[in-house]
Amino acid sequence: MTAIEVRGIDHVVIRAADLERMIAFYRDVLGCAVERRVDDLGLVQLRAGSALVDLVAVDSMLGRHWGAAPGAEGRNMDHLCLRLERFDIEALRRHLQGHDVEVSELATRYGAEGKGPSLYIKDPEDNVVELKGPPDP
């Protein structure tokens, strides 16, 4: 046994230029419930299964600590992958397109549980979010 055993993702922090728009996307489109707000820090934490997605306003006390807002020349992360319990491709496409979210082609990609169905989308600030289904049998 090693000194470090990773069990899973605890949280992902995304710096947001438009905090309320980002909250609406992760809550209304992806179904993550707002769990905690610390307004004096500019932090909102949303529940994503067993993990959290932390949104930090770039113009807040906490957000200014990390410098300028992300943009075309610089990112705060490559992508966030959310493992979905069910993966009904047609229902997902309808739901996402109903929220004006562009959906990538369906692909099989390797993840924490093996190969399985996967889509890429972007949140309102162009962060890439991978939606991953259960592993293939």
Side-chain angles (χ1 to χ4, degrees):
M1 180 181 221
T2 64
I4 297 175
E5 278 188 68
V6 176
R7 180 177 176 175
I9 294 174
D10 183 84
H11 68 277
V12 175
V13 179
I14 301 171
R15 297 177 65 231
D18 186 339
L19 185 62
E20 295 305 318
R21 187 170 178 217
M22 292 287 278
I23 292 168
F25 177 83
Y26 283 89
R27 181 192 59 218
D28 301 341
V29 177
L30 296 180
C32 299
V34 174
E35 181 165 308
R36 182 171 171 250
R37 284 189 82 122
V38 185
D39 291 325
D40 57 327
L41 292 179
L43 169 69
V44 177
Q45 295 176 299
L46 297 102
R47 176 62 55 186
S50 64
L52 292 173
V53 175
D54 294 359
L55 300 176
V56 176
V58 294
D59 60 353
S60 69
M61 183 181 86
L62 192 58
R64 284 190 301 271
H65 178 72
W66 291 304
E73 298 302 316
R75 293 243 166 269
N76 289 320
M77 68 172 179
D78 180 68
H79 75 278
L80 159 68
C81 180
L82 299 176
R83 165 56 160 84
L84 305 183
E85 193 64 37
R86 294 175 311 283
F87 200 90
D88 178 336
I89 185 64
E90 294 309 317
L92 279 170
R93 284 189 190 285
R94 280 192 306 274
H95 173 75
L96 293 166
Q97 290 168 347
H99 285 278
D100 296 321
V101 175
E102 191 173 321
V103 181
S104 74
E105 292 297 316
L106 177 65
T108 298
R109 294 186 177 88
Y110 189 81
E113 299 175 300
K115 290 185 177 182
S118 166
L119 294 173
Y120 286 120
I121 61 173
K122 288 186 178 180
D123 72 16
E125 295 188 5
D126 282 337
N127 295 297
V128 176
V129 180
E130 180 181 357
L131 302 177
K132 186 123 177 41
D136 294 335

